[in-house]
Amino acid sequence: MRITVCRKEHFNAAHRLYRPDWSDEKNDQVFGLCNNPNFHGHNYELIVRVTGEVDPETGFVIDLKYLGNIIKEKVANKFDHKNLNLDTEEFKNLNPTAENIAVVIWDILRAELDTKYDLKVVLYETERNFVEYPAD
Ligand code: NI
């Protein structure tokens, strides 16, 4: 019996979307407000979905307290109240779009979780804009 369990986490971070190899005009055209040279913040909502078999002994797929601690320690503490472009290694040379942030978070968590679990990351950049990785 496979079930998906989910854990929500939250972090605030600043970013700027731009490519240094593009002109200011092209950056503005493609990235719009997210290209603000002085950066801007988002309240990111992260949903981590773990799918696996229910352990007959515990009735759990995974202990959500354990999962919550991993997300907090490895993801939220790393990115919360940070400028993603300036303060993190991951986005020094990678545009911190919601897509790229979701993939980075997935990579971090994948390394922490047993391979028997399937993992999916859903990241809300705004209430209306969110991404899912891996894709359906
Ligand atoms: Ni933005």
mmCIF file of all heavy atoms in Angstrom, residues 15 17 34 40 42 44 125, ligand 1:
data_model
loop_
_atom_site.group_PDB
_atom_site.id
_atom_site.type_symbol
_atom_site.label_atom_id
_atom_site.label_comp_id
_atom_site.label_asym_id
_atom_site.label_seq_id
_atom_site.Cartn_x
_atom_site.Cartn_y
_atom_site.Cartn_z
ATOM 1 N N HIS A 15 15.887 37.539 -4.119
ATOM 2 C CA HIS A 15 16.597 37.116 -5.326
ATOM 3 C C HIS A 15 16.532 38.200 -6.399
ATOM 4 O O HIS A 15 15.829 39.192 -6.284
ATOM 5 C CB HIS A 15 16.062 35.772 -5.862
ATOM 6 C CG HIS A 15 14.741 35.847 -6.574
ATOM 7 N ND1 HIS A 15 14.239 34.813 -7.318
ATOM 8 C CD2 HIS A 15 13.804 36.823 -6.640
ATOM 9 C CE1 HIS A 15 13.072 35.150 -7.830
ATOM 10 N NE2 HIS A 15 12.776 36.357 -7.435
ATOM 11 N N LEU A 17 16.534 37.851 -10.784
ATOM 12 C CA LEU A 17 16.678 37.022 -11.975
ATOM 13 C C LEU A 17 17.324 37.856 -13.071
ATOM 14 O O LEU A 17 16.781 38.898 -13.454
ATOM 15 C CB LEU A 17 15.314 36.503 -12.451
ATOM 16 C CG LEU A 17 14.509 35.693 -11.435
ATOM 17 C CD1 LEU A 17 13.223 35.176 -12.073
ATOM 18 C CD2 LEU A 17 15.324 34.539 -10.876
ATOM 19 N N CYS A 34 11.242 40.779 -11.525
ATOM 20 C CA CYS A 34 12.209 39.929 -10.822
ATOM 21 C C CYS A 34 13.651 40.275 -11.185
ATOM 22 O O CYS A 34 14.587 39.726 -10.629
ATOM 23 C CB CYS A 34 11.925 38.451 -11.075
ATOM 24 S SG CYS A 34 10.649 37.797 -9.961
ATOM 25 N N HIS A 40 14.630 41.607 -4.433
ATOM 26 C CA HIS A 40 13.293 41.676 -3.822
ATOM 27 C C HIS A 40 13.033 40.324 -3.193
ATOM 28 O O HIS A 40 13.693 39.336 -3.519
ATOM 29 C CB HIS A 40 12.222 42.000 -4.878
ATOM 30 C CG HIS A 40 12.136 40.947 -5.918
ATOM 31 N ND1 HIS A 40 13.001 40.894 -6.981
ATOM 32 C CD2 HIS A 40 11.340 39.868 -6.030
ATOM 33 C CE1 HIS A 40 12.729 39.832 -7.706
ATOM 34 N NE2 HIS A 40 11.722 39.185 -7.157
ATOM 35 N N HIS A 42 10.587 37.018 -1.653
ATOM 36 C CA HIS A 42 9.392 36.181 -1.793
ATOM 37 C C HIS A 42 9.208 35.385 -0.504
ATOM 38 O O HIS A 42 10.183 35.029 0.157
ATOM 39 C CB HIS A 42 9.528 35.194 -2.954
ATOM 40 C CG HIS A 42 9.485 35.835 -4.302
ATOM 41 N ND1 HIS A 42 8.314 36.284 -4.876
ATOM 42 C CD2 HIS A 42 10.468 36.110 -5.194
ATOM 43 C CE1 HIS A 42 8.584 36.789 -6.071
ATOM 44 N NE2 HIS A 42 9.887 36.715 -6.287
ATOM 45 N N TYR A 44 8.406 32.020 0.258
ATOM 46 C CA TYR A 44 8.316 30.714 -0.405
ATOM 47 C C TYR A 44 7.602 29.704 0.488
ATOM 48 O O TYR A 44 7.905 29.602 1.682
ATOM 49 C CB TYR A 44 9.710 30.177 -0.736
ATOM 50 C CG TYR A 44 10.413 30.951 -1.822
ATOM 51 C CD1 TYR A 44 11.329 31.952 -1.493
ATOM 52 C CD2 TYR A 44 10.165 30.682 -3.158
ATOM 53 C CE1 TYR A 44 11.984 32.666 -2.487
ATOM 54 C CE2 TYR A 44 10.816 31.401 -4.161
ATOM 55 C CZ TYR A 44 11.725 32.388 -3.812
ATOM 56 O OH TYR A 44 12.372 33.103 -4.794
ATOM 57 N N GLU A 125 6.153 30.262 -5.204
ATOM 58 C CA GLU A 125 6.880 31.530 -5.122
ATOM 59 C C GLU A 125 5.909 32.649 -4.739
ATOM 60 O O GLU A 125 6.266 33.585 -4.026
ATOM 61 C CB GLU A 125 7.559 31.850 -6.439
ATOM 62 C CG GLU A 125 8.506 33.020 -6.353
ATOM 63 C CD GLU A 125 9.342 33.171 -7.611
ATOM 64 O OE1 GLU A 125 8.779 33.596 -8.638
ATOM 65 O OE2 GLU A 125 10.534 32.847 -7.580
HETATM 66 NI NI NI B 1 11.001 37.358 -7.907
#
